Amino acid sequence: PLKREIIIWTFPMLLTPSYFASGETVPARYTEMERLALVHSQHIITPSHFERRQLVDFYSVPQDLIRVIPRG
């Protein structure tokens, strides 16, 4: 049988820090599920260095998992 490796890329949108910045409240469970999904991803794509910094600072995602690909 052929064994294939599955590589997971995550493209997070509207992260908790963005909601906080707009004055909205976010349930703690939502934030924790978001964090778990991010730290267990093999790769993460984000459109800006600002969002990359949020991923590292707010969620403690290792920098080497994150690739910045600007919108274009």
Side-chain angles (χ1 to χ4, degrees):
L2 182 61
K3 185 176 180 178
R4 295 183 181 176
E5 179 181 349
I6 298 173
I7 299 173
I8 299 171
W9 286 83
T10 304
F11 185 73
M13 308 252 325
L14 303 174
L15 298 169
T16 294
S18 298
Y19 288 116
F20 286 159
S22 69
E24 296 183 50
T25 57
V26 179
R29 184 75 175 139
Y30 177 88
T31 302
E32 179 59 15
M33 295 304 291
E34 194 174 55
R35 186 191 69 76
L36 286 171
L38 291 166
V39 299
H40 289 288
S41 294
Q42 293 169 304
H43 303 281
I44 298 171
I45 299 170
T46 190
S48 72
H49 291 282
F50 175 77
E51 290 182 20
R52 179 182 190 182
R53 189 87 251 138
Q54 285 184 323
L55 293 168
V56 172
D57 293 345
F58 190 83
Y59 299 99
S60 301
V61 174
Q63 288 188 34
D64 61 326
L65 295 183
I66 306 166
R67 183 167 177 197
V68 176
I69 301 177
R71 294 179 178 101

